[in-house]
Amino acid sequence: MPLLKVDHPFLTEAGSRLPELEINYHHYGRLSPQLDNVIWVCHALTANSDVAAWWPGMFGPGRPLDPERYFIVCANVLGGCYGTTGPLSKNPETGRSYFHDFPKLTIRDLVAAQELLRQHLGIDRIRLLLGGSMGGHQALEWAISHPDRAEKLALIATNARHSPWGIAFNESQRMAIAADPGWAENKADAGKSGLKAARAIALLSYRNYEAYEQSQSEAEDRPAGLYRAAAYQQYQGEKLAARFNAFSYWRLSEAMDSHDVSRGRGSVQSALSRVSAQTIVLGIAGDVLFPPQEQRLLATGIPGADLHIFSSPYGHDGFLVETETIARRLSLFNQQVQFVR
Protein backbone atom coordinates (compact mmCIF):
# COMPACT_ATOMS: atom_id res chain seq x y z
CA MET A 1 0.00 0.00 0.00
CA PRO A 2 1.34 3.46 -0.86
CA LEU A 3 2.12 5.81 1.99
CA LEU A 4 2.40 9.58 1.78
CA LYS A 5 4.73 11.13 4.35
CA VAL A 6 4.10 14.80 5.07
CA ASP A 7 7.14 16.18 6.89
CA HIS A 8 5.63 19.50 7.95
CA PRO A 9 3.17 20.21 10.79
CA PHE A 10 -0.54 19.64 10.30
CA LEU A 11 -2.82 22.07 12.13
CA THR A 12 -6.32 20.93 13.05
CA GLU A 13 -9.41 23.10 12.78
CA ALA A 14 -9.32 23.58 16.56
CA GLY A 15 -5.68 24.71 16.45
CA SER A 16 -3.92 21.55 17.64
CA ARG A 17 -0.70 20.53 15.94
CA LEU A 18 0.60 17.23 14.63
CA PRO A 19 4.36 17.47 13.96
CA GLU A 20 4.08 15.34 10.82
CA LEU A 21 1.58 13.20 8.99
CA GLU A 22 1.42 9.86 7.20
CA ILE A 23 -1.49 8.99 4.93
CA ASN A 24 -2.04 5.39 3.90
CA TYR A 25 -4.07 4.86 0.74
CA HIS A 26 -5.02 2.49 -2.04
CA HIS A 27 -5.30 3.26 -5.71
CA TYR A 28 -6.55 1.06 -8.51
CA GLY A 29 -6.42 1.37 -12.29
CA ARG A 30 -4.48 3.92 -14.30
CA LEU A 31 -4.71 7.68 -14.44
CA SER A 32 -5.65 8.76 -17.97
CA PRO A 33 -3.36 11.11 -19.92
CA GLN A 34 -6.06 13.77 -19.62
CA LEU A 35 -6.26 13.19 -15.83
CA ASP A 36 -10.04 13.02 -16.16
CA ASN A 37 -10.93 9.53 -14.89
CA VAL A 38 -10.49 9.90 -11.12
CA ILE A 39 -13.01 8.42 -8.70
CA TRP A 40 -12.36 9.24 -5.05
CA VAL A 41 -14.05 7.18 -2.35
CA CYS A 42 -14.34 8.48 1.22
CA HIS A 43 -14.82 5.64 3.71
CA ALA A 44 -17.04 5.36 6.78
CA LEU A 45 -16.20 5.19 10.49
CA THR A 46 -14.34 1.87 10.90
CA ALA A 47 -13.51 1.04 7.28
CA ASN A 48 -10.10 1.29 5.61
CA SER A 49 -8.61 2.35 2.31
CA ASP A 50 -9.07 -1.03 0.59
CA VAL A 51 -12.44 -0.23 -0.94
CA ALA A 52 -12.25 -3.32 -3.16
CA ALA A 53 -12.41 -5.45 0.01
CA TRP A 54 -15.20 -3.73 1.94
CA TRP A 55 -17.39 -2.68 -1.04
CA PRO A 56 -16.91 -5.63 -3.40
CA GLY A 57 -20.30 -5.30 -5.06
CA MET A 58 -19.32 -1.83 -6.24
CA PHE A 59 -15.87 -2.79 -7.50
CA GLY A 60 -14.76 -4.51 -10.68
CA PRO A 61 -15.38 -4.64 -14.44
CA GLY A 62 -18.74 -3.15 -15.38
CA ARG A 63 -19.23 -1.76 -11.87
CA PRO A 64 -19.16 1.92 -10.83
CA LEU A 65 -15.67 1.38 -9.40
CA ASP A 66 -14.17 -0.19 -12.51
CA PRO A 67 -10.35 -0.14 -12.44
CA GLU A 68 -10.28 -0.86 -16.17
CA ARG A 69 -11.89 2.55 -16.81
CA TYR A 70 -11.13 4.69 -13.78
CA PHE A 71 -8.32 5.66 -11.47
CA ILE A 72 -9.83 4.95 -8.07
CA VAL A 73 -8.42 6.41 -4.86
CA CYS A 74 -9.38 5.70 -1.26
CA ALA A 75 -7.39 6.99 1.71
CA ASN A 76 -7.49 5.82 5.31
CA VAL A 77 -8.82 8.74 7.34
CA LEU A 78 -6.74 10.83 9.70
CA GLY A 79 -7.16 9.42 13.21
CA GLY A 80 -7.83 5.89 11.99
CA CYS A 81 -5.83 2.75 12.62
CA TYR A 82 -5.03 1.46 9.15
CA GLY A 83 -1.78 3.24 8.40
CA THR A 84 -2.70 6.92 8.47
CA THR A 85 -1.52 8.90 11.49
CA GLY A 86 -3.74 8.15 14.46
CA PRO A 87 -3.68 7.74 18.25
CA LEU A 88 -1.47 4.65 18.15
CA SER A 89 1.09 6.36 15.90
CA LYS A 90 4.38 7.46 17.39
CA ASN A 91 4.73 11.16 18.15
CA PRO A 92 8.15 12.03 16.70
CA GLU A 93 8.64 14.72 19.33
CA THR A 94 8.26 12.32 22.27
CA GLY A 95 9.14 8.95 20.73
CA ARG A 96 5.94 7.51 22.25
CA SER A 97 2.47 6.77 20.87
CA TYR A 98 -0.05 9.58 21.22
CA PHE A 99 -2.80 7.50 22.89
CA HIS A 100 -5.01 9.93 24.87
CA ASP A 101 -2.96 12.92 23.73
CA PHE A 102 -4.00 12.58 20.11
CA PRO A 103 -5.91 15.76 19.23
CA LYS A 104 -9.64 16.02 18.74
CA LEU A 105 -10.57 16.04 15.05
CA THR A 106 -13.36 17.36 12.86
CA ILE A 107 -14.63 16.21 9.47
CA ARG A 108 -12.88 19.25 8.02
CA ASP A 109 -9.57 17.93 9.35
CA LEU A 110 -10.18 14.59 7.64
CA VAL A 111 -10.85 16.42 4.37
CA ALA A 112 -7.75 18.61 4.79
CA ALA A 113 -5.60 15.48 5.05
CA GLN A 114 -7.17 14.08 1.88
CA GLU A 115 -6.46 17.37 0.13
CA LEU A 116 -2.77 16.84 0.90
CA LEU A 117 -2.93 13.44 -0.78
CA ARG A 118 -4.76 14.86 -3.79
CA GLN A 119 -2.02 17.46 -4.24
CA HIS A 120 0.65 14.78 -3.91
CA LEU A 121 -1.00 12.68 -6.63
CA GLY A 122 -1.20 15.68 -8.96
CA ILE A 123 -4.98 15.41 -9.35
CA ASP A 124 -6.69 18.72 -10.09
CA ARG A 125 -10.17 17.43 -10.84
CA ILE A 126 -12.14 14.46 -9.51
CA ARG A 127 -14.66 12.96 -11.91
CA LEU A 128 -16.74 11.36 -9.14
CA LEU A 129 -16.44 11.97 -5.40
CA LEU A 130 -18.53 9.65 -3.26
CA GLY A 131 -19.06 8.36 0.23
CA GLY A 132 -21.63 6.80 2.53
CA SER A 133 -22.34 7.60 6.18
CA MET A 134 -19.24 9.36 7.60
CA GLY A 135 -17.74 9.00 4.14
CA GLY A 136 -20.61 11.13 2.90
CA HIS A 137 -19.78 13.72 5.55
CA GLN A 138 -16.30 14.00 4.07
CA ALA A 139 -17.42 14.06 0.44
CA LEU A 140 -20.01 16.76 1.11
CA GLU A 141 -17.63 18.91 3.15
CA TRP A 142 -15.01 18.57 0.41
CA ALA A 143 -17.50 19.61 -2.27
CA ILE A 144 -18.47 22.69 -0.24
CA SER A 145 -14.98 23.80 0.83
CA HIS A 146 -13.52 23.20 -2.65
CA PRO A 147 -16.45 23.63 -5.08
CA ASP A 148 -14.32 23.17 -8.20
CA ARG A 149 -12.74 19.92 -7.04
CA ALA A 150 -15.36 17.38 -8.20
CA GLU A 151 -17.47 17.16 -11.34
CA LYS A 152 -19.92 14.69 -9.82
CA LEU A 153 -20.86 14.01 -6.21
CA ALA A 154 -22.62 10.95 -4.78
CA LEU A 155 -23.88 11.13 -1.19
CA ILE A 156 -25.22 7.92 0.32
CA ALA A 157 -27.08 7.60 3.64
CA THR A 158 -25.59 10.78 5.05
CA ASN A 159 -26.58 14.28 6.11
CA ALA A 160 -25.67 17.98 6.29
CA ARG A 161 -25.30 18.07 10.08
CA HIS A 162 -24.87 15.17 12.44
CA SER A 163 -28.17 15.01 14.26
CA PRO A 164 -28.80 15.13 18.03
CA TRP A 165 -29.91 11.50 17.65
CA GLY A 166 -26.61 10.52 16.02
CA ILE A 167 -24.57 12.48 18.58
CA ALA A 168 -26.49 10.77 21.40
CA PHE A 169 -25.62 7.36 19.97
CA ASN A 170 -21.95 8.33 19.70
CA GLU A 171 -21.83 9.73 23.21
CA SER A 172 -23.42 6.54 24.56
CA GLN A 173 -20.67 4.57 22.85
CA ARG A 174 -17.96 6.78 24.33
CA MET A 175 -19.56 6.38 27.75
CA ALA A 176 -19.26 2.61 27.31
CA ILE A 177 -15.57 2.96 26.50
CA ALA A 178 -14.98 5.34 29.43
CA ALA A 179 -16.65 2.85 31.79
CA ASP A 180 -13.95 0.29 30.97
CA PRO A 181 -11.49 0.35 33.91
CA GLY A 182 -8.57 -0.07 31.52
CA TRP A 183 -9.44 2.94 29.38
CA ALA A 184 -7.25 5.34 31.38
CA GLU A 185 -4.09 3.39 30.51
CA ASN A 186 -1.72 4.32 27.71
CA LYS A 187 -1.54 1.02 25.86
CA ALA A 188 -2.83 -0.20 22.53
CA ASP A 189 -5.66 -2.35 23.89
CA ALA A 190 -6.91 0.15 26.48
CA GLY A 191 -10.70 0.29 26.51
CA LYS A 192 -11.05 -2.93 24.52
CA SER A 193 -13.97 -4.25 26.58
CA GLY A 194 -15.63 -0.86 26.38
CA LEU A 195 -15.14 -0.85 22.62
CA LYS A 196 -17.03 -4.14 22.36
CA ALA A 197 -19.96 -2.61 24.23
CA ALA A 198 -19.75 0.53 22.09
CA ARG A 199 -20.02 -1.53 18.92
CA ALA A 200 -23.06 -3.33 20.27
CA ILE A 201 -24.72 0.04 20.90
CA ALA A 202 -23.79 1.27 17.43
CA LEU A 203 -25.25 -1.80 15.80
CA LEU A 204 -28.70 -0.86 17.09
CA SER A 205 -28.49 2.29 14.98
CA TYR A 206 -27.04 0.53 11.95
CA ARG A 207 -29.94 -1.93 11.78
CA ASN A 208 -33.54 -1.57 13.02
CA TYR A 209 -36.39 -3.49 14.65
CA GLU A 210 -37.36 -5.29 11.44
CA ALA A 211 -33.76 -6.33 10.72
CA TYR A 212 -33.42 -8.00 14.11
CA GLU A 213 -36.83 -9.63 13.77
CA GLN A 214 -35.80 -11.18 10.47
CA SER A 215 -32.31 -12.32 11.40
CA GLN A 216 -32.29 -12.90 15.16
CA SER A 217 -35.73 -14.18 16.11
CA GLU A 218 -36.03 -17.34 18.19
CA ALA A 219 -38.24 -20.29 17.54
CA GLU A 220 -41.58 -20.23 19.32
CA ASP A 221 -41.82 -21.91 22.73
CA ARG A 222 -38.11 -21.33 23.19
CA PRO A 223 -36.36 -22.14 26.47
CA ALA A 224 -35.01 -19.24 28.50
CA GLY A 225 -31.28 -18.75 28.33
CA LEU A 226 -29.00 -17.97 25.43
CA TYR A 227 -30.57 -15.82 22.73
CA ARG A 228 -29.52 -15.33 19.13
CA ALA A 229 -29.73 -11.53 19.40
CA ALA A 230 -27.53 -11.52 22.50
CA ALA A 231 -24.93 -13.77 20.86
CA TYR A 232 -25.01 -11.56 17.78
CA GLN A 233 -24.24 -8.43 19.80
CA GLN A 234 -21.35 -10.20 21.53
CA TYR A 235 -20.00 -11.45 18.22
CA GLN A 236 -20.09 -8.02 16.60
CA GLY A 237 -18.29 -6.48 19.56
CA GLU A 238 -15.55 -9.10 19.44
CA LYS A 239 -15.23 -8.75 15.69
CA LEU A 240 -14.60 -5.00 15.80
CA ALA A 241 -12.27 -5.16 18.81
CA ALA A 242 -10.06 -7.60 16.88
CA ARG A 243 -9.39 -5.05 14.12
CA PHE A 244 -9.87 -1.60 15.65
CA ASN A 245 -8.90 0.31 18.78
CA ALA A 246 -10.84 2.42 21.25
CA PHE A 247 -8.67 5.50 20.76
CA SER A 248 -9.44 5.79 17.04
CA TYR A 249 -13.09 4.95 17.65
CA TRP A 250 -13.34 7.75 20.21
CA ARG A 251 -11.69 10.40 18.05
CA LEU A 252 -13.52 9.46 14.84
CA SER A 253 -16.90 9.37 16.55
CA GLU A 254 -16.13 12.89 17.82
CA ALA A 255 -15.29 13.90 14.26
CA MET A 256 -18.69 12.62 13.14
CA ASP A 257 -20.35 14.73 15.84
CA SER A 258 -18.53 17.81 14.51
CA HIS A 259 -20.12 17.50 11.09
CA ASP A 260 -22.08 20.67 10.40
CA VAL A 261 -21.76 22.29 6.98
CA SER A 262 -23.29 25.51 8.35
CA ARG A 263 -20.43 26.18 10.78
CA GLY A 264 -18.91 29.51 9.76
CA ARG A 265 -21.13 29.63 6.66
CA GLY A 266 -24.32 31.18 7.96
CA SER A 267 -26.79 28.36 7.42
CA VAL A 268 -27.13 24.85 6.05
CA GLN A 269 -28.90 26.18 2.95
CA SER A 270 -26.15 28.72 2.32
CA ALA A 271 -23.50 26.02 2.62
CA LEU A 272 -25.30 23.51 0.39
CA SER A 273 -25.82 26.16 -2.29
CA ARG A 274 -22.02 26.26 -2.73
CA VAL A 275 -21.93 22.76 -4.21
CA SER A 276 -21.29 23.04 -7.93
CA ALA A 277 -20.87 19.32 -8.64
CA GLN A 278 -23.66 17.41 -10.34
CA THR A 279 -25.08 15.54 -7.37
CA ILE A 280 -27.03 12.38 -6.61
CA VAL A 281 -28.33 11.71 -3.11
CA LEU A 282 -29.26 8.17 -2.08
CA GLY A 283 -31.22 7.43 1.08
CA ILE A 284 -32.53 4.27 2.71
CA ALA A 285 -36.08 3.80 3.92
CA GLY A 286 -35.75 2.23 7.35
CA ASP A 287 -32.43 3.92 8.17
CA VAL A 288 -32.88 5.04 11.79
CA LEU A 289 -29.45 6.70 12.03
CA PHE A 290 -29.60 8.82 8.86
CA PRO A 291 -33.36 8.83 8.08
CA PRO A 292 -34.57 9.79 4.58
CA GLN A 293 -35.65 13.29 5.62
CA GLU A 294 -31.96 14.12 6.00
CA GLN A 295 -31.27 13.12 2.40
CA ARG A 296 -34.30 15.09 1.25
CA LEU A 297 -32.82 18.17 2.89
CA LEU A 298 -29.56 17.60 1.02
CA ALA A 299 -31.32 17.17 -2.31
CA THR A 300 -33.43 20.27 -1.74
CA GLY A 301 -30.43 22.42 -0.81
CA ILE A 302 -27.89 21.28 -3.40
CA PRO A 303 -28.64 22.90 -6.79
CA GLY A 304 -29.98 20.40 -9.31
CA ALA A 305 -29.46 17.35 -7.07
CA ASP A 306 -31.29 14.09 -7.80
CA LEU A 307 -32.78 12.12 -4.90
CA HIS A 308 -33.46 8.39 -4.75
CA ILE A 309 -34.78 6.58 -1.69
CA PHE A 310 -34.61 2.78 -1.72
CA SER A 311 -35.73 0.13 0.72
CA SER A 312 -33.48 -2.25 2.58
CA PRO A 313 -34.13 -4.72 5.41
CA TYR A 314 -30.63 -3.87 6.67
CA GLY A 315 -31.37 -0.30 7.75
CA HIS A 316 -28.38 2.04 7.63
CA ASP A 317 -26.08 -0.87 6.77
CA GLY A 318 -27.92 -1.04 3.47
CA PHE A 319 -25.35 1.37 2.04
CA LEU A 320 -22.80 -1.44 2.36
CA VAL A 321 -25.11 -4.34 1.49
CA GLU A 322 -27.48 -3.13 -1.25
CA THR A 323 -24.73 -2.79 -3.80
CA GLU A 324 -26.84 -3.90 -6.78
CA THR A 325 -29.27 -1.03 -6.23
CA ILE A 326 -26.54 1.51 -5.53
CA ALA A 327 -24.35 0.33 -8.41
CA ARG A 328 -27.24 0.62 -10.87
CA ARG A 329 -28.02 4.18 -9.77
CA LEU A 330 -24.39 5.28 -9.78
CA SER A 331 -23.67 3.74 -13.19
CA LEU A 332 -26.56 5.71 -14.72
CA PHE A 333 -25.48 8.83 -12.88
CA ASN A 334 -21.89 8.51 -14.06
CA GLN A 335 -23.06 8.26 -17.67
CA GLN A 336 -25.09 11.46 -17.52
CA VAL A 337 -23.70 14.51 -19.27
CA GLN A 338 -22.39 17.07 -16.81
CA PHE A 339 -24.58 20.15 -16.63
CA VAL A 340 -23.02 23.62 -16.50
CA ARG A 341 -23.99 26.05 -13.76
Side-chain angles (χ1 to χ4, degrees), residues 6 11 180 255 263 274 310:
V6 180
L11 296 180
D180 184 334
R263 189 168 62 254
R274 298 187 185 191
F310 62 92

Side-chain angles (χ1 to χ4, degrees), residues 3-5 25 115-123:
L3 182 71
L4 169 63
K5 294 189 175 184
Y25 64 100
E115 262 289 296
L116 292 175
L117 176 59
R118 178 200 62 79
Q119 294 167 17
H120 168 74
L121 294 175
I123 295 169

Side-chain angles (χ1 to χ4, degrees), residues 80-102:
C81 58
Y82 291 107
T84 294
T85 298
L88 299 191
S89 300
K90 185 176 291 186
N91 181 343
E93 294 182 342
T94 66
R96 300 186 300 271
S97 296
Y98 289 97
F99 294 127
H100 293 281
D101 292 332
F102 194 80

Side-chain angles (χ1 to χ4, degrees), residues 39-308:
I39 293 181
W40 200 295
V41 182
C42 299
H43 73 68
L45 178 64
T46 65
N48 55 42
S49 60
D50 189 3
V51 63
W54 57 261
W55 225 5
M58 294 284 290
F59 192 95
R63 294 289 180 171
L65 306 180
D66 185 347
E68 295 181 5
R69 298 183 59 192
Y70 302 111
F71 184 69
I72 303 155
V73 180
C74 185
N76 180 222
V77 294
L78 177 64
C81 58
Y82 291 107
T84 294
T85 298
L88 299 191
S89 300
K90 185 176 291 186
N91 181 343
E93 294 182 342
T94 66
R96 300 186 300 271
S97 296
Y98 289 97
F99 294 127
H100 293 281
D101 292 332
F102 194 80
K104 184 177 288 189
L105 301 173
T106 68
I107 292 297
R108 295 180 188 184
D109 294 324
L110 274 55
V111 170
Q114 301 215 43
E115 262 289 296
L116 292 175
L117 176 59
R118 178 200 62 79
Q119 294 167 17
H120 168 74
L121 294 175
I123 295 169
D124 291 327
R125 190 81 164 159
I126 298 170
R127 174 185 173 87
L128 174 62
L129 174 62
L130 75 155
S133 193
M134 192 186 82
H137 289 171
Q138 297 166 71
L140 176 59
E141 177 59 40
W142 207 350
I144 292 171
S145 59
H146 298 80
D148 297 328
R149 191 68 67 233
E151 297 176 15
K152 293 173 179 281
L153 175 67
L155 304 172
I156 309 169
T158 194
N159 56 13
R161 305 170 71 187
H162 204 44
S163 66
W165 177 245
I167 292 170
F169 263 110
N170 283 345
E171 181 65 16
S172 299
Q173 293 167 62
R174 290 190 293 268
M175 288 170 66
I177 293 172
D180 184 334
W183 171 236
E185 300 178 44
N186 280 327
K187 60 180 186 178
D189 63 350
K192 187 173 183 178
S193 294
L195 178 61
K196 295 175 187 178
R199 186 61 164 187
I201 294 169
L203 208 64
L204 300 177
S205 68
Y206 299 159
R207 300 299 174 93
N208 55 33
Y209 180 92
E210 288 76 16
Y212 275 82
E213 276 291 303
Q214 291 182 23
S215 64
Q216 305 301 325
S217 289
E218 308 288 342
E220 293 183 356
D221 193 26
R222 68 189 179 212
L226 295 176
Y227 303 110
R228 293 182 64 186
Y232 182 68
Q233 298 300 97
Q234 294 283 349
Y235 166 74
Q236 292 293 343
E238 294 282 352
K239 185 178 177 182
L240 181 71
R243 67 176 180 86
F244 219 74
N245 71 79
F247 295 99
S248 285
Y249 201 87
W250 188 290
R251 286 300 186 224
L252 293 180
S253 68
E254 287 179 330
M256 283 188 75
D257 293 350
S258 79
H259 177 58
D260 182 352
V261 299
S262 74
R263 189 168 62 254
R265 296 171 178 143
S267 67
V268 168
Q269 288 302 113
S270 176
L272 294 179
S273 70
R274 298 187 185 191
V275 176
S276 62
Q278 184 177 2
T279 303
I280 186 172
V281 181
L282 300 177
I284 304 169
D287 185 343
V288 299
L289 185 57
F290 294 85
Q293 61 261 35
E294 296 194 318
Q295 288 86 61
R296 293 190 184 99
L297 186 150
L298 290 174
T300 300
I302 296 173
D306 288 332
L307 172 68
H308 299 277

